[in-house]
Amino acid sequence: MYSGGLKFNTISSDFLGSKNSSPSADFAFSNFGIAFSYASEKDKTKRNTFAFSNNQLQNFDGSFLITESNSYHSMARDMMNIANEVKVLGQMNPTYELMGYNSYVLDYDSASGKYFSFVDLNRSLSLKRSVTTTGRMNELNISFAQSADDKYYIGGSLGIPRLNFESTTIHSETDSNDSMRVGLTSGSSYTTTYNSYLPFIYTDMLGFNSLKYDEVFSTKGYGLNLKLGAVVRINQSFRVGAYFHSPTIFYLCDNFYYRMEARFDANTTKPMEAQYPDGGGGIYENRITTPLRFGINGAYIYQKTAAFALDIEQINYGMASLNGETADVFSGVNAVIKDKYKSATNIRAGVEYNLSPILLRAGYNYYGSPFGGFFSGPFDRQTVSFGAGYRTKGSLFFDMAWARTLSKEKYFMYSTVPLKSDLKFVSSSLILSVGLKF
């Protein structure tokens, strides 16, 4: 069987009343699989099935844009806050506040003993941030199942997910009103239009013009997991089951690159630049362990005409963890995961009506927020779907499905400034499946 189709995404942002929408369209591969079934030679009441499948678990393609034309929310404020908290240059983050210092967005005032910014934090500027993600996560499954008396069914699967993900964030700020000016008078004297305190200036820089911060991150790797499940057919109408999915252990290799530039009025064509790491991108190998999940399900079949199914799944996101090249490198991150992330409930429900040779279907999925709550958080995700199938008199069968997914998230701009953008994700997919029984 092969499934594929079209996927349409729209990500809308609302940043302090400034709204943007970013639509996109892409081909969506869903899955490919093949299964072999045969009767057991030792016990004719049992049947065995081997299956191989490749499923797309996640499509990361998408982008969103955040803008504010008269903004008082410069990245420089966040960098300055962190620098004044850390204090020591050698202990600063080389991918963030230290880049601000090296590109002269920040500087140190020895008289006050504090870092300050050459961006006037009391004047407005034009702010823009774009975030673009690409990539896929596909999983190869090698499965075995056995049935007994056409009543008891057990199965297991070895899953090998492959991950390829890339994210590019571009943040820019511009003094579009030319309100941060510095003028030389005589000698070392100068005048400014700054509203913020400016302890000193550089004559080869003068006032702030613009800044740009780039963050490029990608990761590739593979994982391993195990899935086990069982179903019991109570009678001709009722079936119940349970399953367990082990944690997935991902072995990943990250590539990263950060760059910052600041331009000043004295020479806007020659920016002050900083990058990390020097001479190109950095590489870091790590391991991520996802939480286990388990669930129960049931189905009711009415006179071989209609079928109703329900699946309830539990997952504790606080059980996730990261491990790096040294034992304690992610200890702080893991402590935050354990404290902030909670248990969530996922629900899947579906109905099918048989109008042989045509089948009509409808479904609903609810994925709970990793921060807890039930139908109560902005990180919930819900999907509704409708579909139809056609069974030929021969071995071919066709299925078509339309699904629409809605979710909301809060995107936090900085770490020390409580500033966020509300994101709304709308995804529609049209999938066609073709299968052959032999």
Side-chain angles (χ1 to χ4, degrees):
M1 186 182 75
Y2 174 83
S3 298
L6 297 175
K7 184 176 182 179
F8 304 90
N9 290 325
T10 299
I11 305 177
S12 303
S13 67
D14 185 347
F15 181 62
L16 303 176
S18 179
K19 299 180 179 181
N20 291 279
S21 182
S22 304
S24 63
D26 195 7
F27 172 78
F29 164 77
S30 182
N31 65 72
F32 172 81
I34 186 170
F36 307 92
S37 183
Y38 61 93
S40 173
E41 295 182 358
K42 295 182 179 181
D43 188 347
K44 297 301 181 181
T45 65
K46 296 181 179 180
R47 291 190 64 83
N48 301 323
T49 301
F50 280 102
F52 301 89
S53 64
N54 186 61
N55 305 313
Q56 185 170 112
L57 304 181
Q58 190 71 45
N59 182 324
F60 298 110
D61 290 357
S63 64
F64 62 88
L65 180 66
I66 295 172
T67 60
E68 190 182 21
S69 57
N70 291 291
S71 177
Y72 290 86
H73 307 106
S74 173
M75 176 183 279
R77 184 186 298 276
D78 190 45
M79 290 181 167
M80 184 183 70
N81 291 344
I82 298 173
N84 282 317
E85 181 179 346
V86 176
K87 293 183 173 60
V88 181
L89 275 177
Q91 297 177 6
M92 291 185 184
N93 185 348
T95 69
Y96 195 60
E97 66 269 15
L98 186 59
M99 295 185 72
Y101 179 84
N102 291 333
S103 61
Y104 288 88
V105 169
L106 303 181
D107 211 329
Y108 182 72
D109 178 22
S110 58
S112 65
K114 293 184 177 181
Y115 291 89
F116 70 97
S117 174
F118 281 111
V119 180
D120 190 344
L121 302 178
N122 291 320
R123 286 195 178 274
S124 66
L125 42 72
S126 296
L127 181 150
K128 178 180 178 181
R129 178 178 293 192
S130 65
V131 179
T132 302
T133 59
T134 60
R136 307 285 188 275
M137 182 164 66
N138 297 319
E139 183 175 67
L140 173 66
N141 284 286
I142 305 171
S143 308
F144 173 77
Q146 186 178 79
S147 64
D149 295 325
D150 202 21
K151 183 177 181 180
Y152 304 101
Y153 309 84
I154 60 172
S157 175
L158 175 66
I160 308 173
R162 290 100 59 215
L163 175 66
N164 185 0
F165 172 81
E166 182 172 332
S167 172
T168 301
T169 300
I170 302 175
H171 178 100
S172 62
E173 300 174 12
T174 304
D175 178 20
S176 54
N177 296 321
D178 197 20
S179 60
M180 307 178 199
R181 298 187 61 82
V182 173
L184 298 176
T185 55
S186 61
S188 59
S189 300
Y190 60 91
T191 61
T192 80
T193 60
Y194 276 59
N195 285 333
S196 297
Y197 174 62
L198 200 60
F200 55 84
I201 67 162
Y202 293 100
T203 57
D204 59 343
M205 289 172 33
L206 300 181
F208 172 79
N209 178 267
S210 64
L211 68 79
K212 183 169 174 282
Y213 177 83
D214 299 339
E215 174 187 312
V216 179
F217 171 83
S218 67
T219 188
K220 293 182 179 180
Y222 69 95
L224 292 171
N225 62 53
L226 180 66
K227 306 177 185 71
L228 301 173
V231 174
V232 177
R233 187 173 68 148
I234 299 175
N235 53 41
Q236 291 294 328
S237 298
F238 288 97
R239 293 159 173 77
V240 294
Y243 60 88
F244 166 82
H245 292 180
S246 75
T248 298
I249 302 176
F250 281 100
Y251 300 88
L252 303 175
C253 181
D254 299 345
N255 288 267
F256 53 89
Y257 175 72
Y258 300 84
R259 182 179 180 275
M260 188 169 190
E261 66 175 40
R263 298 176 186 270
F264 295 89
D265 291 336
N267 188 350
T268 58
T269 63
K270 186 179 180 181
M272 301 295 184
E273 298 176 310
Q275 67 179 37
Y276 183 84
D278 294 330
I283 298 176
Y284 188 81
E285 295 183 351
N286 62 90
R287 187 173 75 251
I288 296 178
T289 302
T290 68
L292 62 85
R293 60 182 67 200
F294 59 91
I296 57 174
N297 48 51
Y300 172 71
I301 300 175
Y302 178 73
Q303 297 181 354
K304 297 184 179 181
T305 301
F308 307 87
L310 177 66
D311 181 288
I312 301 175
E313 180 180 82
Q314 200 71 18
I315 176 172
N316 186 349
Y317 289 97
M319 298 175 64
S321 64
L322 288 78
N323 294 277
E325 297 173 350
T326 59
D328 61 343
V329 65
F330 287 116
S331 59
V333 174
N334 289 331
V336 172
I337 291 174
K338 188 175 182 179
D339 178 61
K340 298 294 185 181
Y341 286 75
K342 308 299 180 183
S343 182
T345 300
N346 301 331
I347 298 175
R348 291 176 282 267
V351 59
E352 179 181 272
Y353 191 72
N354 190 346
L355 296 173
S356 183
I358 297 175
L359 304 169
L360 301 178
R361 304 184 183 98
Y364 171 78
N365 294 349
Y366 167 81
Y367 298 94
S369 168
F371 300 103
F374 191 60
F375 287 96
S376 61
F379 292 90
D380 292 346
R381 180 160 52 97
Q382 302 183 59
T383 300
V384 293
S385 61
F386 299 94
Y390 177 75
R391 302 295 182 262
T392 66
K393 294 181 179 180
S395 301
L396 278 173
F397 63 89
F398 303 89
D399 292 292
M400 184 177 66
W402 173 87
R404 186 175 180 86
T405 300
L406 303 174
S407 65
K408 295 181 179 180
E409 292 184 9
K410 294 185 182 298
Y411 177 82
F412 291 87
M413 298 284 287
Y414 310 122
S415 60
T416 67
V417 181
L419 198 63
K420 63 181 182 294
S421 176
D422 294 320
L423 301 181
K424 181 179 179 181
F425 298 81
V426 180
S427 174
S428 298
S429 300
L430 183 63
I431 304 296
L432 177 65
S433 302
V434 180
L436 175 66
K437 293 182 178 180
F438 56 90

